[in-house]
Amino acid sequence: MSTNEKAPAHTPLPWHTDWLGDDRGWILDKQNNYLAEIVTEDDCGFVVPKNEQRANGEFIVRACNAHDDLLDACYLALEEIEQWDEVMGGSEDPRTREAIDALKSAIRESHGNAA
């Protein structure tokens, strides 16, 4: 991580889910501390099908756990593309600039600094 990037302020990863039957679960951190509840019906009566809510909870956990690996890959790709671009004296290919900009944007957004 670049020294001028702000570290994410989320609970350290990895996260996991724990389920009580089919209709109630929790997202927990690695010490099993509660982060969020996953329910199929909220206090207002909003109902989400059990299988859909369970899939949503599992998706959230997988996406969050993948965050650090994906961010590291973005930093590595950005560094390599920028070095290659510098060696080549600045690329005339607009896709090189597009790739650099896309990686920088993804890194900013992952830190909550979307511009």
Side-chain angles (χ1 to χ4, degrees):
M1 180 182 308
S2 166
T3 55
N4 62 352
E5 296 290 344
K6 181 176 90 174
H10 60 70
T11 301
L13 300 168
W15 297 353
H16 65 278
T17 56
D18 189 23
W19 296 92
L20 178 64
D22 288 334
D23 61 349
R24 189 173 204 144
W26 297 268
I27 296 176
L28 306 169
D29 69 9
K30 61 184 175 182
Q31 282 85 31
N32 289 322
N33 295 312
Y34 168 89
L35 300 175
E37 185 173 6
I38 306 163
V39 295
T40 57
E41 183 174 346
D42 66 14
D43 294 337
C44 298
F46 179 75
V47 178
V48 175
K50 291 177 184 180
N51 63 333
E52 185 177 321
Q53 193 64 339
R54 188 176 189 112
N56 290 345
E58 297 294 342
F59 176 78
I60 290 166
V61 167
R62 284 193 310 273
C64 290
N65 288 340
H67 174 268
D68 287 347
D69 291 338
L70 292 171
L71 186 58
D72 287 346
C74 284
Y75 278 116
L76 178 61
L78 178 61
E79 181 179 326
E80 289 300 311
I81 293 170
E82 285 181 328
Q83 284 179 2
W84 179 251
D85 194 44
E86 185 177 321
V87 166
M88 296 303 293
S91 175
E92 293 181 18
D93 184 354
R95 292 196 34 91
T96 301
R97 175 55 34 206
E98 183 181 336
I100 290 171
D101 291 345
L103 287 164
K104 286 181 176 181
S105 176
I107 290 168
R108 275 192 311 273
E109 287 180 29
S110 78
H111 292 293
N113 299 330

